[in-house]
Amino acid sequence: MLNFIIEPASLLGILVGFVMLLFYLILVTYPKLAFQEDIFIITLGLVYSCIILIHGWRLDPILVFAQGVIVSILLISGWSSLRLRALVHVLNLKNN
């Protein structure tokens, strides 16, 4: 039996899953920006979001807060990594 209710942990799982799917869409749309380990990281993010969706109701509020902080740090660093890859790609096109 799955116990699924809308709570902060579930919203965190939905957010992570949506952003990982968005990263996957970006990497499929622009394959020049992709590294080999990106698919692995995206898969781990989707597995994490499924785990948080299913078992997030067990977390204490302080653990949900800690997971939220960790996820926001990782999402911000992932987005900045994609922006830097795009910038390097554009600069390589201008130099060639």
Side-chain angles (χ1 to χ4, degrees):
M1 181 174 106
L2 294 178
N3 187 7
F4 183 76
I5 57 174
I6 298 297
E7 60 177 354
S10 300
L11 296 176
L12 184 67
I14 292 170
L15 174 73
V16 171
F18 177 73
V19 171
M20 288 298 141
L21 290 175
L22 183 66
F23 279 163
Y24 181 73
L25 181 68
I26 289 171
L27 294 177
V28 168
T29 308
Y30 301 106
K32 301 264 186 200
L33 301 179
F35 288 160
Q36 288 182 350
E37 65 267 6
D38 289 341
I39 290 296
F40 178 71
I41 293 170
I42 290 170
T43 304
L44 285 179
L46 289 173
V47 169
Y48 170 81
S49 70
C50 290
I51 291 170
I52 290 295
L53 276 173
I54 294 171
H55 296 290
W57 61 274
R58 297 179 179 183
L59 294 177
D60 292 335
I62 192 71
L63 291 175
V64 174
F65 176 72
Q67 291 295 310
V69 169
I70 290 170
V71 163
S72 26
I73 289 170
L74 290 176
L75 293 180
I76 290 169
S77 64
W79 182 250
S80 65
S81 172
L82 277 177
R83 287 180 49 211
L84 286 173
R85 289 181 197 178
L87 182 63
V88 167
H89 179 66
V90 167
L91 290 176
N92 282 339
L93 288 178
K94 285 184 180 180
N95 288 338
N96 292 334

